[in-house]
Amino acid sequence: MTHLIAIGGSDAGISAALRARELDPSTDVTVVVADEYPNFSICGIPYYFTGEVQPWQSLAHRTAADLEATGMSLRLNTFATGIDVAGQRLTVRTPDGRTEDIGYDELIVGTGALPSHAGIAGLDQLAPADGVHVIHSMGDTFALDHDLTDRQPASAIIVGAGYVGLEMAEAFITRGMTVTQLQRGPEVLSTLDPELGALVHVELTTHGVEVVTGTTVTGIEKTPAGLAVTGTRDGQPFTQTTDLALVVVGVRPNTELLELAGARLGAGRAVVVDEHMRTGLPHVWAAGDGIITHHRLLGQTYLPLGTTSHKQGRIAGENALGGNRAFAGSVGTQVVKVFDLVAARTGLHDHEAVAAGYTPATVDAAADDHKRYYPGAHPIHFRITGDTNDGRLLGAQLVGRRGTEVAKRVDTYATALYAGLTIEQITELDLSYTPPLGSPWDAVQVATQAWDAQHRLAATPV
Amino acid sequence: MTHLIAIGGSDAGISAALRARELDPSTDVTVVVADEYPNFSICGIPYYFTGEVQPWQSLAHRTAADLEATGMSLRLNTFATGIDVAGQRLTVRTPDGRTEDIGYDELIVGTGALPSHAGIAGLDQLAPADGVHVIHSMGDTFALDHDLTDRQPASAIIVGAGYVGLEMAEAFITRGMTVTQLQRGPEVLSTLDPELGALVHVELTTHGVEVVTGTTVTGIEKTPAGLAVTGTRDGQPFTQTTDLALVVVGVRPNTELLELAGARLGAGRAVVVDEHMRTGLPHVWAAGDGIITHHRLLGQTYLPLGTTSHKQGRIAGENALGGNRAFAGSVGTQVVKVFDLVAARTGLHDHEAVAAGYTPATVDAAADDHKRYYPGAHPIHFRITGDTNDGRLLGAQLVGRRGTEVAKRVDTYATALYAGLTIEQITELDLSYTPPLGSPWDAVQVATQAWDAQHRLAATPV
């Protein structure tokens, strides 16, 4: 009987454990979880703070009992500290502080990522008790929750305007707080080009968020007047005082365990694995936010996303049992709801495509989500990036009102990217149409026609 | 200067004319339109009757002035009666009843389809003035509108439960009428398997529609008590009296003009064209509901859809000017909103796949449109059909509440069908996820995993 250990209670580790149990119920599966919250939806935490998701227990994809019912063993509050690769033994610190060695036949490491501090001075000395927060685990969630309840802070500065930062801005606004969002770059949500990020910016300010772009935060300090957040804005010194600071400036791969065991680091200082999730260390596999990402357009990169972790974990679980499945690769599909707006992207931006050796061109377009004569039509704004050499789709960005099916419209582009379709082929797709929900040429095709009109008509033999 | 004539003011003819003007503004384009309503959205007519679209003029995709602004000439109320292929001349009947010959360099025929009467006795003798209606043109629309206004009928029988029949049931219910929907087959909306059609059936009855399946209507007769609709139900005689009868039992291709000119008929007695929209008659092209449909999974069939007509018309317009574009083929993607439900399908049903020589299996699945912990999650019901030989996707059917993005989720399958993806490859797709709008494995992938679990696990090397 194979003994499989998965380290990590989040997407990658649990997916691996579930897949192993599904494929071979005779496998003995142990999941080592650093806290006592296995299989929680970290992506759902902002909606706990808006009040839409209550109680916090409902954030669990599956309860511990659900997981154990599949036949896996959970070791909660257990911290993996070392791997004896040759001896196939994992060293852990148990909940009562003891050190224990556990033998394994196959090991899957899904230790994920850690919040980045982006070099902000003072962060190491400040804690939730000081009103300074990150939001990456259930522990962080409880700490923020207690602070909001205990101190009733009236103002918050959110450092960072990525997905989590924007969702938390909405949460704080919903709770009646004053919110300032500081962003290093020229526009919020840098996963979009600034042309579309600007629409998200307007949505934030419309709902009362003070957005300050071009601002690099260099320090946070506790002062009698509150937390002083300092930095530079467009080269000038910047200081603002707040009751609460939330730092959400991205993550870095949590690689310590695998590095100590001899694994190699690659893109983004994440652990290198092959498409089969092999680390190169015998019987040691890895998946999730701690490893490099195989990207269908970029090769190896680092792009931690929950969807990817699920897929990688599932593959690791299968291959650890003797399977031979390869990760098909990410295309970087992402979506976020910001108040009443939905913003999505897949594939590459123009500048990313240039850096990767493509010859891109990017075209703006707008098209209604459904026939304008039917009530409730709203425009969706697009940026389509294609290769001018071969007409292949390289990327798509979309922003539209909630209800315009932007989240699933981006999936058409994501599927096209997977299949390597040209922009012209997207125009050929047989997409669904009924007046309340689409148009004879769907909005995604109006956008590809706009690209073709600018970049491919010359090739038409007329 | 090329003189191009397009016959038909609906999707195919107008798309051809627009494309020709777009590609070569020196082309002289004349569009011959049998009525005075070019470029109206026939798919939108039911929403005129629900009251959601007012006035009727807003059903125009473009006004006559919009069309003429592109440089095309419209000849309204002008009926094409004959084609002199060798002489490249089109004979028309002008609005004042004269016969006129118009020379052309290239001719595109988009005469569309006509409502089917499905062998119902008495229909030829009954007219809108008798309370008997079809709904296929703006003329039909006005006739029904006048009848509803003048007579204020309290009850309606709708013969047929396809897209238009269901949408019109909703319209009549919205107007406070009593509606009986008669369907020949075992379940409404036969573009879905009965397992999913049953969900639509429940939605109809929930909103007060009396649905009677298994009923073949053989006659409609005017009696002192109203219109008597007669037929057989499960082999027994059936009669029901009503104030108004709407017959929406499908369409047949309108091929008379091209048949007289020597064109060949094929699938569904529609005009045969090649993928370039050539009829085989020199300088005569055709597009739209009057021609056969090239289907990526079935080869030649007859499947008239507005989306297809737009694509075919665009290709005909381009090729008539010397282009060399081929229609990529339909995959039969369709969607309909029925009250608060959305039903979609793409590709083949199991029985269609068998008939076409595939070795299909079909699996049911259900998955929430987004994470259940976030408010407003609803299940989407799926039927996935794949080929057990090679794992290739053959078809997908989806039913979910309005707002569950069913219309654009079916597009992921439609794109996969276009690209020839396997069901396993759909599970590999990098689709978008945020808790309010999706799941880490999107619902479309939960469904493909369900298919794989039943039909592909044996192939997994474990």
Side-chain angles (χ1 to χ4, degrees), chain A residues 41 52 61 325 333 371 373-374 407-408 418 424 428 430 432, chain B residues 41 61 325 333 371 373-374 407 418 424 428 430 432 442:
Chain A
S41 175
E52 290 163 296
H61 290 300
R325 199 170 290 269
T333 312
K371 287 303 300 176
Y373 60 68
Y374 188 86
K408 296 299 119 186
Y418 176 98
E424 194 175 309
E428 291 180 347
D430 184 13
S432 80
Chain B
S41 175
H61 291 299
R325 199 169 289 270
T333 311
K371 287 303 300 177
Y373 59 69
Y374 188 86
Y418 176 98
E424 195 175 308
E428 292 180 347
D430 184 12
S432 80
D442 191 76

PDB file of all heavy atoms in Angstrom, chain A residues 41 52 61 325 333 371 373-374 407-408 418 424 428 430 432, chain B residues 41 61 325 333 371 373-374 407 418 424 428 430 432 442:
ATOM      1  N   SER A  41     -11.429  28.535   1.169  1.00  0.00           N
ATOM      2  CA  SER A  41     -11.364  29.341  -0.038  1.00  0.00           C
ATOM      3  C   SER A  41     -10.783  30.705   0.306  1.00  0.00           C
ATOM      4  O   SER A  41     -11.489  31.609   0.749  1.00  0.00           O
ATOM      5  CB  SER A  41     -12.764  29.508  -0.630  1.00  0.00           C
ATOM      6  OG  SER A  41     -12.723  30.390  -1.729  1.00  0.00           O
ATOM      7  N   GLU A  52     -21.194  39.341   2.994  1.00  0.00           N
ATOM      8  CA  GLU A  52     -21.984  38.472   2.107  1.00  0.00           C
ATOM      9  C   GLU A  52     -21.816  37.003   2.455  1.00  0.00           C
ATOM     10  O   GLU A  52     -22.700  36.191   2.162  1.00  0.00           O
ATOM     11  CB  GLU A  52     -21.587  38.708   0.641  1.00  0.00           C
ATOM     12  CG  GLU A  52     -22.034  40.067   0.128  1.00  0.00           C
ATOM     13  CD  GLU A  52     -21.302  40.463  -1.148  1.00  0.00           C
ATOM     14  OE1 GLU A  52     -20.057  40.641  -1.103  1.00  0.00           O
ATOM     15  OE2 GLU A  52     -21.964  40.622  -2.172  1.00  0.00           O
ATOM     16  N   HIS A  61     -14.269  24.965   1.243  1.00  0.00           N
ATOM     17  CA  HIS A  61     -14.736  24.202   0.082  1.00  0.00           C
ATOM     18  C   HIS A  61     -15.345  22.894   0.570  1.00  0.00           C
ATOM     19  O   HIS A  61     -16.376  22.451   0.101  1.00  0.00           O
ATOM     20  CB  HIS A  61     -13.568  23.872  -0.865  1.00  0.00           C
ATOM     21  CG  HIS A  61     -13.001  25.032  -1.600  1.00  0.00           C
ATOM     22  ND1 HIS A  61     -13.742  25.805  -2.462  1.00  0.00           N
ATOM     23  CD2 HIS A  61     -11.751  25.556  -1.623  1.00  0.00           C
ATOM     24  CE1 HIS A  61     -12.964  26.745  -2.998  1.00  0.00           C
ATOM     25  NE2 HIS A  61     -11.761  26.615  -2.491  1.00  0.00           N
ATOM     26  N   ARG A 325       0.455  12.137 -16.384  1.00  0.00           N
ATOM     27  CA  ARG A 325      -0.301  13.273 -16.897  1.00  0.00           C
ATOM     28  C   ARG A 325       0.579  14.518 -16.865  1.00  0.00           C
ATOM     29  O   ARG A 325       1.330  14.732 -15.920  1.00  0.00           O
ATOM     30  CB  ARG A 325      -1.557  13.486 -16.063  1.00  0.00           C
ATOM     31  CG  ARG A 325      -2.602  14.316 -16.757  1.00  0.00           C
ATOM     32  CD  ARG A 325      -3.902  14.285 -15.999  1.00  0.00           C
ATOM     33  NE  ARG A 325      -4.546  12.983 -16.064  1.00  0.00           N
ATOM     34  CZ  ARG A 325      -5.437  12.647 -17.013  1.00  0.00           C
ATOM     35  NH1 ARG A 325      -5.761  13.499 -17.949  1.00  0.00           N
ATOM     36  NH2 ARG A 325      -5.982  11.460 -16.990  1.00  0.00           N
ATOM     37  N   THR A 333      -5.555  33.264 -17.256  1.00  0.00           N
ATOM     38  CA  THR A 333      -6.929  33.781 -17.205  1.00  0.00           C
ATOM     39  C   THR A 333      -7.282  34.227 -15.795  1.00  0.00           C
ATOM     40  O   THR A 333      -7.069  33.486 -14.837  1.00  0.00           O
ATOM     41  CB  THR A 333      -7.918  32.693 -17.661  1.00  0.00           C
ATOM     42  OG1 THR A 333      -7.438  32.113 -18.870  1.00  0.00           O
ATOM     43  CG2 THR A 333      -9.306  33.273 -17.858  1.00  0.00           C
ATOM     44  N   LYS A 371     -28.344  42.562 -27.584  1.00  0.00           N
ATOM     45  CA  LYS A 371     -28.975  43.505 -28.508  1.00  0.00           C
ATOM     46  C   LYS A 371     -29.483  44.726 -27.748  1.00  0.00           C
ATOM     47  O   LYS A 371     -30.163  44.609 -26.741  1.00  0.00           O
ATOM     48  CB  LYS A 371     -30.146  42.824 -29.237  1.00  0.00           C
ATOM     49  CG  LYS A 371     -29.738  41.813 -30.285  1.00  0.00           C
ATOM     50  CD  LYS A 371     -28.837  42.357 -31.383  1.00  0.00           C
ATOM     51  CE  LYS A 371     -29.460  43.482 -32.169  1.00  0.00           C
ATOM     52  NZ  LYS A 371     -28.481  44.040 -33.174  1.00  0.00           N
ATOM     53  N   TYR A 373     -31.734  46.797 -28.329  1.00  0.00           N
ATOM     54  CA  TYR A 373     -33.181  47.044 -28.234  1.00  0.00           C
ATOM     55  C   TYR A 373     -33.802  46.335 -27.043  1.00  0.00           C
ATOM     56  O   TYR A 373     -34.871  46.715 -26.580  1.00  0.00           O
ATOM     57  CB  TYR A 373     -33.902  46.681 -29.543  1.00  0.00           C
ATOM     58  CG  TYR A 373     -33.802  45.242 -30.003  1.00  0.00           C
ATOM     59  CD1 TYR A 373     -34.415  44.198 -29.310  1.00  0.00           C
ATOM     60  CD2 TYR A 373     -33.118  44.928 -31.166  1.00  0.00           C
ATOM     61  CE1 TYR A 373     -34.332  42.896 -29.758  1.00  0.00           C
ATOM     62  CE2 TYR A 373     -33.031  43.620 -31.624  1.00  0.00           C
ATOM     63  CZ  TYR A 373     -33.645  42.608 -30.920  1.00  0.00           C
ATOM     64  OH  TYR A 373     -33.560  41.322 -31.351  1.00  0.00           O
ATOM     65  N   TYR A 374     -33.129  45.289 -26.535  1.00  0.00           N
ATOM     66  CA  TYR A 374     -33.659  44.577 -25.377  1.00  0.00           C
ATOM     67  C   TYR A 374     -33.146  45.270 -24.111  1.00  0.00           C
ATOM     68  O   TYR A 374     -31.970  45.619 -24.025  1.00  0.00           O
ATOM     69  CB  TYR A 374     -33.221  43.109 -25.415  1.00  0.00           C
ATOM     70  CG  TYR A 374     -33.900  42.275 -24.346  1.00  0.00           C
ATOM     71  CD1 TYR A 374     -35.141  41.700 -24.571  1.00  0.00           C
ATOM     72  CD2 TYR A 374     -33.303  42.100 -23.100  1.00  0.00           C
ATOM     73  CE1 TYR A 374     -35.781  40.950 -23.593  1.00  0.00           C
ATOM     74  CE2 TYR A 374     -33.938  41.350 -22.111  1.00  0.00           C
ATOM     75  CZ  TYR A 374     -35.170  40.784 -22.362  1.00  0.00           C
ATOM     76  OH  TYR A 374     -35.807  40.048 -21.379  1.00  0.00           O
ATOM     77  N   ALA A 407     -17.158  37.326 -17.337  1.00  0.00           N
ATOM     78  CA  ALA A 407     -16.346  36.246 -16.755  1.00  0.00           C
ATOM     79  C   ALA A 407     -16.335  35.026 -17.662  1.00  0.00           C
ATOM     80  O   ALA A 407     -15.326  34.333 -17.767  1.00  0.00           O
ATOM     81  CB  ALA A 407     -16.876  35.861 -15.374  1.00  0.00           C
ATOM     82  N   LYS A 408     -17.453  34.753 -18.295  1.00  0.00           N
ATOM     83  CA  LYS A 408     -17.486  33.568 -19.150  1.00  0.00           C
ATOM     84  C   LYS A 408     -17.212  33.932 -20.608  1.00  0.00           C
ATOM     85  O   LYS A 408     -16.857  33.058 -21.396  1.00  0.00           O
ATOM     86  CB  LYS A 408     -18.803  32.808 -18.958  1.00  0.00           C
ATOM     87  CG  LYS A 408     -18.945  32.255 -17.535  1.00  0.00           C
ATOM     88  CD  LYS A 408     -17.818  31.255 -17.161  1.00  0.00           C
ATOM     89  CE  LYS A 408     -16.972  31.680 -15.999  1.00  0.00           C
ATOM     90  NZ  LYS A 408     -15.813  30.783 -15.732  1.00  0.00           N
ATOM     91  N   TYR A 418      -5.818  28.327 -25.731  1.00  0.00           N
ATOM     92  CA  TYR A 418      -5.421  26.926 -25.509  1.00  0.00           C
ATOM     93  C   TYR A 418      -5.254  26.219 -26.847  1.00  0.00           C
ATOM     94  O   TYR A 418      -4.294  25.480 -27.066  1.00  0.00           O
ATOM     95  CB  TYR A 418      -6.480  26.220 -24.654  1.00  0.00           C
ATOM     96  CG  TYR A 418      -6.238  24.739 -24.444  1.00  0.00           C
ATOM     97  CD1 TYR A 418      -5.639  24.270 -23.281  1.00  0.00           C
ATOM     98  CD2 TYR A 418      -6.612  23.810 -25.413  1.00  0.00           C
ATOM     99  CE1 TYR A 418      -5.420  22.923 -23.090  1.00  0.00           C
ATOM    100  CE2 TYR A 418      -6.385  22.457 -25.231  1.00  0.00           C
ATOM    101  CZ  TYR A 418      -5.789  22.011 -24.064  1.00  0.00           C
ATOM    102  OH  TYR A 418      -5.572  20.665 -23.881  1.00  0.00           O
ATOM    103  N   GLU A 424      -8.954  35.575 -36.575  1.00  0.00           N
ATOM    104  CA  GLU A 424      -9.957  35.342 -37.609  1.00  0.00           C
ATOM    105  C   GLU A 424     -10.801  34.107 -37.285  1.00  0.00           C
ATOM    106  O   GLU A 424     -12.003  34.083 -37.547  1.00  0.00           O
ATOM    107  CB  GLU A 424      -9.220  35.147 -38.933  1.00  0.00           C
ATOM    108  CG  GLU A 424     -10.077  35.231 -40.148  1.00  0.00           C
ATOM    109  CD  GLU A 424      -9.213  35.148 -41.399  1.00  0.00           C
ATOM    110  OE1 GLU A 424      -8.225  35.919 -41.499  1.00  0.00           O
ATOM    111  OE2 GLU A 424      -9.485  34.290 -42.251  1.00  0.00           O
ATOM    112  N   GLU A 428     -14.980  33.190 -36.698  1.00  0.00           N
ATOM    113  CA  GLU A 428     -15.696  32.071 -37.327  1.00  0.00           C
ATOM    114  C   GLU A 428     -16.476  31.218 -36.319  1.00  0.00           C
ATOM    115  O   GLU A 428     -17.285  30.383 -36.722  1.00  0.00           O
ATOM    116  CB  GLU A 428     -14.696  31.135 -38.022  1.00  0.00           C
ATOM    117  CG  GLU A 428     -14.034  31.725 -39.244  1.00  0.00           C
ATOM    118  CD  GLU A 428     -13.047  30.753 -39.884  1.00  0.00           C
ATOM    119  OE1 GLU A 428     -12.682  29.732 -39.255  1.00  0.00           O
ATOM    120  OE2 GLU A 428     -12.642  31.027 -41.010  1.00  0.00           O
ATOM    121  N   ASP A 430     -18.959  29.486 -33.811  1.00  0.00           N
ATOM    122  CA  ASP A 430     -20.418  29.424 -33.771  1.00  0.00           C
ATOM    123  C   ASP A 430     -20.860  29.631 -32.320  1.00  0.00           C
ATOM    124  O   ASP A 430     -21.063  28.677 -31.585  1.00  0.00           O
ATOM    125  CB  ASP A 430     -20.862  28.057 -34.305  1.00  0.00           C
ATOM    126  CG  ASP A 430     -22.366  27.930 -34.391  1.00  0.00           C
ATOM    127  OD1 ASP A 430     -23.068  28.954 -34.271  1.00  0.00           O
ATOM    128  OD2 ASP A 430     -22.841  26.791 -34.583  1.00  0.00           O
ATOM    129  N   SER A 432     -23.304  31.356 -29.190  1.00  0.00           N
ATOM    130  CA  SER A 432     -24.749  31.385 -28.972  1.00  0.00           C
ATOM    131  C   SER A 432     -25.308  32.794 -29.088  1.00  0.00           C
ATOM    132  O   SER A 432     -24.628  33.777 -28.793  1.00  0.00           O
ATOM    133  CB  SER A 432     -25.081  30.824 -27.590  1.00  0.00           C
ATOM    134  OG  SER A 432     -24.875  31.795 -26.592  1.00  0.00           O
TER     135      SER A 432
ATOM    136  N   SER B  41     -34.558  42.582 -36.816  1.00  0.00           N
ATOM    137  CA  SER B  41     -34.189  41.441 -35.993  1.00  0.00           C
ATOM    138  C   SER B  41     -35.425  40.586 -35.763  1.00  0.00           C
ATOM    139  O   SER B  41     -36.218  40.846 -34.861  1.00  0.00           O
ATOM    140  CB  SER B  41     -33.623  41.920 -34.658  1.00  0.00           C
ATOM    141  OG  SER B  41     -33.374  40.808 -33.818  1.00  0.00           O
ATOM    142  N   HIS B  61     -31.844  46.241 -36.771  1.00  0.00           N
ATOM    143  CA  HIS B  61     -30.402  46.262 -36.479  1.00  0.00           C
ATOM    144  C   HIS B  61     -29.829  47.597 -36.948  1.00  0.00           C
ATOM    145  O   HIS B  61     -29.005  48.211 -36.280  1.00  0.00           O
ATOM    146  CB  HIS B  61     -29.678  45.128 -37.221  1.00  0.00           C
ATOM    147  CG  HIS B  61     -29.981  43.753 -36.730  1.00  0.00           C
ATOM    148  ND1 HIS B  61     -29.712  43.356 -35.449  1.00  0.00           N
ATOM    149  CD2 HIS B  61     -30.506  42.675 -37.351  1.00  0.00           C
ATOM    150  CE1 HIS B  61     -30.065  42.071 -35.313  1.00  0.00           C
ATOM    151  NE2 HIS B  61     -30.548  41.647 -36.450  1.00  0.00           N
ATOM    152  N   ARG B 325     -12.850  33.050 -49.299  1.00  0.00           N
ATOM    153  CA  ARG B 325     -13.072  32.661 -47.915  1.00  0.00           C
ATOM    154  C   ARG B 325     -14.046  31.487 -47.858  1.00  0.00           C
ATOM    155  O   ARG B 325     -15.012  31.433 -48.606  1.00  0.00           O
ATOM    156  CB  ARG B 325     -13.635  33.849 -47.142  1.00  0.00           C
ATOM    157  CG  ARG B 325     -13.486  33.712 -45.644  1.00  0.00           C
ATOM    158  CD  ARG B 325     -13.821  35.024 -44.953  1.00  0.00           C
ATOM    159  NE  ARG B 325     -12.823  36.042 -45.179  1.00  0.00           N
ATOM    160  CZ  ARG B 325     -11.756  36.241 -44.408  1.00  0.00           C
ATOM    161  NH1 ARG B 325     -11.542  35.477 -43.348  1.00  0.00           N
ATOM    162  NH2 ARG B 325     -10.908  37.213 -44.671  1.00  0.00           N
ATOM    163  N   THR B 333     -24.837  25.815 -32.363  1.00  0.00           N
ATOM    164  CA  THR B 333     -24.972  26.462 -31.059  1.00  0.00           C
ATOM    165  C   THR B 333     -26.263  27.287 -31.011  1.00  0.00           C
ATOM    166  O   THR B 333     -26.529  28.072 -31.908  1.00  0.00           O
ATOM    167  CB  THR B 333     -23.772  27.379 -30.798  1.00  0.00           C
ATOM    168  OG1 THR B 333     -22.577  26.659 -31.075  1.00  0.00           O
ATOM    169  CG2 THR B 333     -23.767  27.873 -29.368  1.00  0.00           C
ATOM    170  N   LYS B 371     -19.327  29.849  -6.549  1.00  0.00           N
ATOM    171  CA  LYS B 371     -19.137  29.249  -5.232  1.00  0.00           C
ATOM    172  C   LYS B 371     -20.416  29.393  -4.406  1.00  0.00           C
ATOM    173  O   LYS B 371     -20.973  30.487  -4.287  1.00  0.00           O
ATOM    174  CB  LYS B 371     -17.968  29.926  -4.500  1.00  0.00           C
ATOM    175  CG  LYS B 371     -16.589  29.566  -5.038  1.00  0.00           C
ATOM    176  CD  LYS B 371     -16.267  28.079  -5.046  1.00  0.00           C
ATOM    177  CE  LYS B 371     -16.302  27.468  -3.668  1.00  0.00           C
ATOM    178  NZ  LYS B 371     -16.036  25.980  -3.739  1.00  0.00           N
ATOM    179  N   TYR B 373     -20.938  29.464  -1.344  1.00  0.00           N
ATOM    180  CA  TYR B 373     -20.938  30.329  -0.154  1.00  0.00           C
ATOM    181  C   TYR B 373     -21.267  31.775  -0.493  1.00  0.00           C
ATOM    182  O   TYR B 373     -21.646  32.547   0.376  1.00  0.00           O
ATOM    183  CB  TYR B 373     -19.608  30.244   0.607  1.00  0.00           C
ATOM    184  CG  TYR B 373     -18.350  30.628  -0.149  1.00  0.00           C
ATOM    185  CD1 TYR B 373     -18.111  31.952  -0.534  1.00  0.00           C
ATOM    186  CD2 TYR B 373     -17.391  29.677  -0.434  1.00  0.00           C
ATOM    187  CE1 TYR B 373     -16.943  32.294  -1.202  1.00  0.00           C
ATOM    188  CE2 TYR B 373     -16.223  30.012  -1.093  1.00  0.00           C
ATOM    189  CZ  TYR B 373     -16.001  31.320  -1.475  1.00  0.00           C
ATOM    190  OH  TYR B 373     -14.857  31.671  -2.125  1.00  0.00           O
ATOM    191  N   TYR B 374     -21.086  32.150  -1.773  1.00  0.00           N
ATOM    192  CA  TYR B 374     -21.402  33.521  -2.164  1.00  0.00           C
ATOM    193  C   TYR B 374     -22.874  33.576  -2.573  1.00  0.00           C
ATOM    194  O   TYR B 374     -23.357  32.701  -3.278  1.00  0.00           O
ATOM    195  CB  TYR B 374     -20.507  33.969  -3.328  1.00  0.00           C
ATOM    196  CG  TYR B 374     -20.661  35.436  -3.655  1.00  0.00           C
ATOM    197  CD1 TYR B 374     -19.908  36.384  -2.980  1.00  0.00           C
ATOM    198  CD2 TYR B 374     -21.567  35.868  -4.605  1.00  0.00           C
ATOM    199  CE1 TYR B 374     -20.062  37.737  -3.251  1.00  0.00           C
ATOM    200  CE2 TYR B 374     -21.731  37.210  -4.885  1.00  0.00           C
ATOM    201  CZ  TYR B 374     -20.972  38.142  -4.208  1.00  0.00           C
ATOM    202  OH  TYR B 374     -21.134  39.481  -4.474  1.00  0.00           O
ATOM    203  N   ALA B 407     -25.468  31.204 -21.331  1.00  0.00           N
ATOM    204  CA  ALA B 407     -25.344  31.549 -22.755  1.00  0.00           C
ATOM    205  C   ALA B 407     -23.888  31.640 -23.162  1.00  0.00           C
ATOM    206  O   ALA B 407     -23.520  31.285 -24.282  1.00  0.00           O
ATOM    207  CB  ALA B 407     -26.055  32.875 -23.048  1.00  0.00           C
ATOM    208  N   TYR B 418     -15.272  23.582 -32.193  1.00  0.00           N
ATOM    209  CA  TYR B 418     -14.601  24.151 -33.375  1.00  0.00           C
ATOM    210  C   TYR B 418     -13.176  23.624 -33.458  1.00  0.00           C
ATOM    211  O   TYR B 418     -12.695  23.247 -34.525  1.00  0.00           O
ATOM    212  CB  TYR B 418     -14.607  25.675 -33.266  1.00  0.00           C
ATOM    213  CG  TYR B 418     -13.850  26.382 -34.377  1.00  0.00           C
ATOM    214  CD1 TYR B 418     -14.527  26.906 -35.475  1.00  0.00           C
ATOM    215  CD2 TYR B 418     -12.470  26.527 -34.326  1.00  0.00           C
ATOM    216  CE1 TYR B 418     -13.846  27.553 -36.494  1.00  0.00           C
ATOM    217  CE2 TYR B 418     -11.772  27.169 -35.347  1.00  0.00           C
ATOM    218  CZ  TYR B 418     -12.467  27.679 -36.419  1.00  0.00           C
ATOM    219  OH  TYR B 418     -11.782  28.310 -37.423  1.00  0.00           O
ATOM    220  N   GLU B 424     -11.345  15.705 -22.086  1.00  0.00           N
ATOM    221  CA  GLU B 424     -10.246  15.869 -21.129  1.00  0.00           C
ATOM    222  C   GLU B 424      -9.547  17.220 -21.326  1.00  0.00           C
ATOM    223  O   GLU B 424      -9.126  17.861 -20.354  1.00  0.00           O
ATOM    224  CB  GLU B 424      -9.261  14.728 -21.352  1.00  0.00           C
ATOM    225  CG  GLU B 424      -8.274  14.518 -20.256  1.00  0.00           C
ATOM    226  CD  GLU B 424      -7.430  13.276 -20.548  1.00  0.00           C
ATOM    227  OE1 GLU B 424      -8.011  12.208 -20.817  1.00  0.00           O
ATOM    228  OE2 GLU B 424      -6.198  13.394 -20.522  1.00  0.00           O
ATOM    229  N   GLU B 428      -8.709  20.710 -18.932  1.00  0.00           N
ATOM    230  CA  GLU B 428      -7.408  21.381 -18.828  1.00  0.00           C
ATOM    231  C   GLU B 428      -7.483  22.885 -19.069  1.00  0.00           C
ATOM    232  O   GLU B 428      -6.503  23.596 -18.806  1.00  0.00           O
ATOM    233  CB  GLU B 428      -6.440  20.797 -19.869  1.00  0.00           C
ATOM    234  CG  GLU B 428      -6.029  19.370 -19.629  1.00  0.00           C
ATOM    235  CD  GLU B 428      -5.070  18.852 -20.695  1.00  0.00           C
ATOM    236  OE1 GLU B 428      -4.914  19.513 -21.744  1.00  0.00           O
ATOM    237  OE2 GLU B 428      -4.477  17.791 -20.469  1.00  0.00           O
ATOM    238  N   ASP B 430      -7.816  26.810 -19.039  1.00  0.00           N
ATOM    239  CA  ASP B 430      -7.562  27.806 -17.997  1.00  0.00           C
ATOM    240  C   ASP B 430      -8.708  28.819 -18.036  1.00  0.00           C
ATOM    241  O   ASP B 430      -8.613  29.857 -18.685  1.00  0.00           O
ATOM    242  CB  ASP B 430      -6.210  28.463 -18.275  1.00  0.00           C
ATOM    243  CG  ASP B 430      -5.812  29.437 -17.185  1.00  0.00           C
ATOM    244  OD1 ASP B 430      -6.463  29.446 -16.113  1.00  0.00           O
ATOM    245  OD2 ASP B 430      -4.862  30.199 -17.416  1.00  0.00           O
ATOM    246  N   SER B 432     -11.763  31.321 -16.256  1.00  0.00           N
ATOM    247  CA  SER B 432     -11.702  32.370 -15.230  1.00  0.00           C
ATOM    248  C   SER B 432     -12.418  31.954 -13.952  1.00  0.00           C
ATOM    249  O   SER B 432     -13.376  31.197 -13.983  1.00  0.00           O
ATOM    250  CB  SER B 432     -12.314  33.659 -15.763  1.00  0.00           C
ATOM    251  OG  SER B 432     -13.723  33.622 -15.689  1.00  0.00           O
ATOM    252  N   ASP B 442     -14.429  25.383 -13.210  1.00  0.00           N
ATOM    253  CA  ASP B 442     -15.691  25.965 -13.636  1.00  0.00           C
ATOM    254  C   ASP B 442     -16.741  24.873 -13.832  1.00  0.00           C
ATOM    255  O   ASP B 442     -16.410  23.713 -14.122  1.00  0.00           O
ATOM    256  CB  ASP B 442     -15.518  26.750 -14.936  1.00  0.00           C
ATOM    257  CG  ASP B 442     -16.757  27.570 -15.233  1.00  0.00           C
ATOM    258  OD1 ASP B 442     -16.948  28.608 -14.578  1.00  0.00           O
ATOM    259  OD2 ASP B 442     -17.587  27.157 -16.083  1.00  0.00           O
TER     260      ASP B 442
END
